């Protein structure tokens, strides 16, 4: 797809130091109840906030028409023994982090067992491909047409970051965005990706 003139690819980084600390703390607090939140659930929430701010990303191409969606169905790539499967979380905007984490885990388990129903893989308006649990520093996710954009997430790693006085260790997460250039131009794609990074760096922004 990188040879495809219609595909725009750009990368960014998000500082998830505080978010990962909060996630670890929350998981510890809820260990006894067996509740676990994941980075993927935060990414979904961040994606919904960014899609609301930049509605062009929550669209599809239908012939000569661009259809702007009013719903927020977020798909995520799941690696299974039978290959790539892309389950869909419906109405992700109406769900909290715990619910998103639970639902993505359940759908990923169904995907691995080859038990997803067709309607659990249809109707997405945007996709996230998270390779963070595996590794890598950057990749070019392929837009899942007729959607117009996809967010790729690679493995976060501790990096030295200059704070104005000294280098400090920060947990840096690579974010790779691919978008259909017929709908999204470079400046808009950059704004979208920068906003996702800002949300991941300080999730309070999602409440604004
Ligand atoms: N950076 C660093 N570590 C990360 C991370 C990130 N961005 N995202 C997740 N992790 C870590 C988690 O902290 C977790 O570690 P612990 O077990 O120590 O807590 C581990 O990776 C596994 O994470 P998880 O259980 O939360 O799973 P996930 O949400 O990362 O992923 C799923 C779920 C279904 C997306 C994943 O299993 C998967 O299938 N990924 C592959 C997607 C894919 O194939 N994409 C390519 C599509 S294009 O062909």
């Amino acid at each position: 797809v990188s040879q495809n003139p219609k595909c725009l690819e750009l990368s960014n980084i998000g500082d998830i130091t505080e978010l990962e600390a909060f996630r670890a703390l929350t998981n510890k607090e809820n260990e006894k109840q067996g509740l676990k939140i994941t980075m993927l659930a935060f990414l979904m929430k961040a994606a919904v906030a960014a899609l609301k701010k930049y509605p062009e990303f929550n669209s599809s191409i239908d012939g000569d028409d661009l259809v702007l969606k009013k719903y927020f169905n977020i798909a995520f790539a799941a690696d299974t023994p039978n290959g790539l499967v892309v389950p869909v979380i419906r109405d992700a905007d109406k769900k909290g982090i715990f619910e998103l984490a639970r639902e993505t885990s359940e759908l990923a388990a169904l995907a691995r067992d080859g038990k997803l129903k067709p309607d659990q893989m249809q109707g997405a308006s945007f996709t996230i491909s998270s390779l963070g649990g595996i590794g890598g520093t950057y990749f070019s996710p392929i837009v899942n047409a007729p959607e117009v954009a996809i967010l790729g997430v690679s493995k976060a790693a501790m990096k030295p970051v200059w704070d104005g006085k000294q280098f400090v260790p920060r947990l840096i997460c690579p974010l790779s965005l691919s978008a259909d250039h017929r709908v999204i131009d470079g400046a808009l794609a950059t704004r979208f990706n920068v906003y996702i990074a800002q949300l991941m760096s300080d999730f309070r922004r999602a409440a604004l």
Side-chain angles (χ1 to χ4, degrees):
V1 73
S2 44
Q3 280 86 41
N4 184 344
K6 293 188 193 114
C7 188
L8 178 74
E9 293 165 4
L10 48 95
S11 61
N12 195 10
I13 50 170
D15 182 335
I16 60 165
T17 315
E18 270 83 33
L19 188 58
E20 178 58 18
F22 174 72
R23 192 182 78 85
L25 176 70
T26 309
N27 282 344
K28 204 161 188 294
E29 283 170 0
N30 292 282
E31 208 171 1
K32 285 200 183 109
Q33 292 101 298
L35 295 172
K36 199 183 164 203
I37 54 175
T38 59
M39 204 41 85
L40 181 60
F42 283 106
L43 286 161
M44 292 216 162
K45 264 280 171 253
V48 167
L51 293 172
K52 284 184 176 170
K53 195 171 162 83
Y54 301 104
E56 295 90 337
F57 286 81
N58 200 34
S59 69
S60 62
I61 294 178
D62 183 6
D64 288 338
D65 295 327
L66 183 68
V67 181
L68 293 174
K69 315 269 172 67
K70 292 208 167 115
Y71 53 85
F72 298 88
N73 294 346
I74 313 293
F76 65 99
D79 178 34
T80 81
N82 296 318
L84 173 69
V85 180
V86 191
V88 180
I89 301 282
R90 290 186 186 277
D91 300 317
D93 55 315
K94 300 192 175 85
K95 294 172 180 169
I97 298 290
F98 277 110
E99 198 175 353
L100 290 172
R102 185 183 49 76
E103 217 181 296
T104 48
S105 302
E106 284 171 6
L107 287 173
L110 285 174
R112 279 193 285 272
D113 293 345
K115 288 185 179 155
L116 278 179
K117 300 198 178 85
D119 69 313
Q120 291 172 310
M121 293 180 276
Q122 288 164 358
S125 50
F126 182 78
T127 298
I128 297 174
S129 178
S130 173
L131 292 169
I134 304 174
T137 52
Y138 170 80
F139 69 111
S140 302
I142 297 171
V143 176
N144 198 8
E147 293 159 42
V148 298
I150 180 167
L151 179 71
V153 184
S154 298
K155 190 176 178 63
M158 276 294 176
K159 302 275 179 198
V161 175
W162 185 251
D163 73 355
K165 290 191 187 115
Q166 58 187 335
F167 282 104
V168 289
R170 306 291 295 175
L171 187 59
I172 301 299
C173 185
L175 302 167
S176 312
L177 183 76
S178 301
D180 190 324
H181 214 336
R182 292 171 298 176
V183 182
I184 312 281
D185 63 29
L188 189 63
T190 304
R191 286 189 190 101
F192 182 90
N193 213 10
V194 164
Y195 184 55
I196 297 251
Q198 286 175 333
L199 288 167
M200 298 303 285
S201 299
D202 188 343
F203 229 84
R204 290 173 301 185
R205 288 173 185 273
L208 295 176

